[in-house]
């Protein structure tokens, strides 16, 4: 960027984010408190962001520090403060606090991806054109991995770094290391259960493989929009679906390694290739049928949208429902029991509010 100023839309509200010369970030309401012009076009002068309309200037706390057109000696700016939102930076992502202004933000959640050393985490994001809840509901749907992400052939385990389902599952099967793709493909009727936890729901999908061996996949759902799933034997994905507004959401994924440092270049390169910057819009989407290839669907994959980037599979599942799914038309089954439980929790939370 030429200047560190960015328009941000989250939870249906518009903000401007900027970084001053000291490296501090400010997140302010986007409309200038003078006469409402757009501060995302502001001049970043190092000690504040200046509105180009009449030159009013604001520091990272939103305090107005200059109103240059006012008469000399004017104290007007001392009485003007733009609403600003507390920010913390964790694992490569800025988090804002959007609660009531007079309240102190609650302690930051002590998830593994935020407590791990920086060397052991990697973050990425992408924009999806659908409501955040239908995106989140994919994360708490353990059955879909056996279908949506099915490959008819297993790739070599050697080339599986950073790829979901391509790595081996923990342990071996009859002396052989099975890739997750094979476990998912061969055992398509998981026994799903869940437990209420202080953070939300913990779900377990069991896939009995032999008399002695059961594949166990645990997902933690951190209410209301985060889930933690295994990526491989040694990494987890913590994924948050953050509403931009009702019809768009950003997924933020934090990869956490429990052994060696994360190879960030190996993680970043393929993911960057799938999006356009600066907004992290996926190159695949409704406009190009998410890259659907009927020949591939016949011969190589269940879905037909590529083998390298399974994120696009989930994107198709969420976006193809429509920006806001009409849930009066759906029919839930046994494998959807966690989705039902989560919707009940959500309904209760809405009632509480
Ligand atoms: S509208 Fe921003 S300074 Fe006047
Ligand atoms: Fe998925």
């Amino acid at each position: 960027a030429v200047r560190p100023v960015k328009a941000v839309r989250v939870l249906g509200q518009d903000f401007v984010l900027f970084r001053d010369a000291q490296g501090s970030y400010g997140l302010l309401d986007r409309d200038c408190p003078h006469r409402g012009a757009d501060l995302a076009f502001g001049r970043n002068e190092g000690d504040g962001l200046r509105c180009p309309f009449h030159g009013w200037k604001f520091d990272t706390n939103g305090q107005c520090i200059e109103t240059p057109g006012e008469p000399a000696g004017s104290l007007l700016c001392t009485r003007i403060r733009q609403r600003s939102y507390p920010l913390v930076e964790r694992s490569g992502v800025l988090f804002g606090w959007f609660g009531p202004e007079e309240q102190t933000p609650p302690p930051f959640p002590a998830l593994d991806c935020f407590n791990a050393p920086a060397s052991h985490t990697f973050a990425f994001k992408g924009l999806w054109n659908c409501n955040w809840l239908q995106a989140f509901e994919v994360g708490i749907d353990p059955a879909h991995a056996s279908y949506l992400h099915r490959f008819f052939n297993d790739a070599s385990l050697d080339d599986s770094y950073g790829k979901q389902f391509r790595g081996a599952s923990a342990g071996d099967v009859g002396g052989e290391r099975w890739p997750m793709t094979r476990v998912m493909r061969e055992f398509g009727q998981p026994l799903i259960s869940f437990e209420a936890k202080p953070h939300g729901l913990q779900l377990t999908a069991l896939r009995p493989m032999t008399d002695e061996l059961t594949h166990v996949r645990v997902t933690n759902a951190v209410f209301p929009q985060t889930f933690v799933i295994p990526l491989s034997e040694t990494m987890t994905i913590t994924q948050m679906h953050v509403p931009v507004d009702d019809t768009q959401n950003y997924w933020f994924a934090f990869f956490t390694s429990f052994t060696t440092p994360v190879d960030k270049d190996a993680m970043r390169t393929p993911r960057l290739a799938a999006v356009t910057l600066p907004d992290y819009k996926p190159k695949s989407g409704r406009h190009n049928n998410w890259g659907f290839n009927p020949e591939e669907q016949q011969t190589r994959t269940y879905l037909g949208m590529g083998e390298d980037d399974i994120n696009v599979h989930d994107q198709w599942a969420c976006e193809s429902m429509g920006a806001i799914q009409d849930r009066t038309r759906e029919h839930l089954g046994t494998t959807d029991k966690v989705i039902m439980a989560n919707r009940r929790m959500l309904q209760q939370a809405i009632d509480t509010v």
Side-chain angles (χ1 to χ4, degrees), residues 32-39 50-58:
C32 177
H34 178 214
R35 287 186 39 218
D38 185 351
L39 290 174
R50 190 186 292 281
C51 176
F53 196 177
H54 311 92
W56 290 22
K57 187 171 178 176
F58 306 91

Side-chain angles (χ1 to χ4, degrees), residues 138-139 141 144-145 148-149 164-165 229 310-311 313-315 317:
V138 174
D141 169 5
H144 84 278
L148 181 68
H149 304 303
Q164 209 185 349
F165 302 124
I229 54 172
I310 73 151
N311 194 276
H313 307 171
D314 295 311
Q315 183 194 351

Side-chain angles (χ1 to χ4, degrees), residues 8 25 32 160 164 243 265 285 288 297 338 349:
V8 174
Y25 289 98
C32 177
S160 66
Q164 209 185 349
D265 286 336
N288 59 6
Q297 190 180 59
V338 186

